[in-house]
Amino acid sequence: MRSSFFGNLEQGQQPPGQFTLQNSKMLCVHLNGDVLARQGSMVAFQGQMDFNYEGAGGIGKFIKKAVTGEGVQLMRVTGQGSLFLAHDAHDIHLFYLENEGITVNGENVLAYEPQLASNIARVQGAGMAAGGLFNTTLHGTGWVAVTTHGAPVMLDASRAPTFADGQSAVAWSTSLQVGVNRTFKVGALIGRGSGEAAQLAFRGQGFVLVQASEGPTVPPHSHSN
């Protein structure tokens, strides 16, 4: 796998493909065919392109998405030219898969190349309070663009048992063993919490990408008569 996080995606090491960062907040897709992208993420394009709703990708995935709430609404963009994508000015990070897999929180998927196989996988042992019950897996060879709310940190799970809030964990290696760690001490509500102090637990050889936020929050408001 190649990424700037691993130091193997520098100039002169760029693999073939259509994804480049215009800047830290905007992805440029050099389109000559098609690409899958988050609905509403297009901010500009040059050339000739068609935009179509992609859905969940088959009845099985549609049922999984309906039951789990995981995944992101996708569009398929077809044509030729330069396509510019962004999402709420979040930071964008690129991964190039080389016949391997990555798991991504559906809310953090920005775009990926259509030859990658996608599925919705369950995190074993995760209750709803863990915030990470289901996530999207991508496998194959090609580009993936993910977003983070704030600058992230890349953790090497092989160095020590690794834990993260379910809504802060953005992406991780599919090779990792993933479960849930629960803290039952009164007052030990870590992260967003919802009455249960639970974190995703990662073990094995691989990485975990953790964003510097638990995601945007809805500001408090009041109703007036």
Side-chain angles (χ1 to χ4, degrees):
M1 188 178 298
R2 302 195 197 184
S3 170
S4 60
F5 292 108
F6 309 135
N8 58 4
L9 200 58
E10 308 303 326
Q11 189 155 0
Q13 298 176 308
Q14 190 84 352
Q18 47 191 356
F19 285 22
T20 60
L21 288 180
Q22 188 71 15
N23 54 57
S24 64
K25 311 289 185 182
M26 189 176 297
L27 172 68
C28 179
V29 180
H30 305 285
L31 195 59
N32 185 21
D34 57 352
V35 69
L36 294 170
R38 182 188 184 99
Q39 277 194 14
S41 62
M42 186 277 290
V43 295
F45 69 92
Q46 293 179 304
Q48 298 294 325
M49 299 184 191
D50 291 323
F51 298 81
N52 295 289
Y53 173 65
E54 178 65 15
I59 187 65
K61 292 180 186 176
F62 177 82
I63 293 172
K64 283 186 179 181
K65 179 177 175 60
V67 172
T68 66
E70 173 57 23
V72 62
Q73 296 294 327
L74 295 173
M75 59 183 178
R76 184 178 292 268
V77 187
T78 306
Q80 293 182 327
S82 297
L83 171 67
F84 298 92
L85 303 174
H87 178 61
D88 289 343
H90 287 184
D91 292 337
I92 301 172
H93 310 279
L94 298 181
F95 293 88
Y96 186 75
L97 308 186
E98 298 175 297
N99 194 27
E100 56 200 329
I102 188 173
T103 299
V104 186
N105 187 324
E107 284 298 311
N108 298 95
V109 174
L110 180 64
Y112 59 90
E113 291 190 296
Q115 69 269 20
L116 294 175
S118 66
N119 199 9
I120 297 174
R122 181 178 185 271
V123 175
Q124 294 297 321
M128 293 304 293
L133 181 59
F134 294 88
N135 285 283
T136 300
T137 61
L138 299 168
H139 191 276
T141 298
W143 287 100
V144 180
V146 303
T147 61
T148 62
H149 190 234
V153 61
M154 179 70 78
L155 303 177
D156 182 355
S158 67
R159 299 179 62 181
T162 303
F163 307 90
D165 180 274
Q167 297 188 26
S168 295
V170 170
W172 57 86
S173 307
T174 54
S175 58
L176 291 176
Q177 296 177 350
V178 186
V180 173
N181 179 65
R182 290 185 173 86
T183 305
F184 291 102
K185 295 179 181 177
V186 176
L189 300 183
I190 306 170
R192 289 184 84 148
S194 60
E196 178 185 22
Q199 310 90 43
L200 295 182
F202 303 91
R203 290 178 174 83
Q205 298 289 325
F207 70 87
V208 184
L209 183 66
V210 182
Q211 64 185 359
S213 167
E214 291 159 339
T217 57
V218 178
H221 62 279
S222 60
H223 299 279
S224 57
N225 294 327

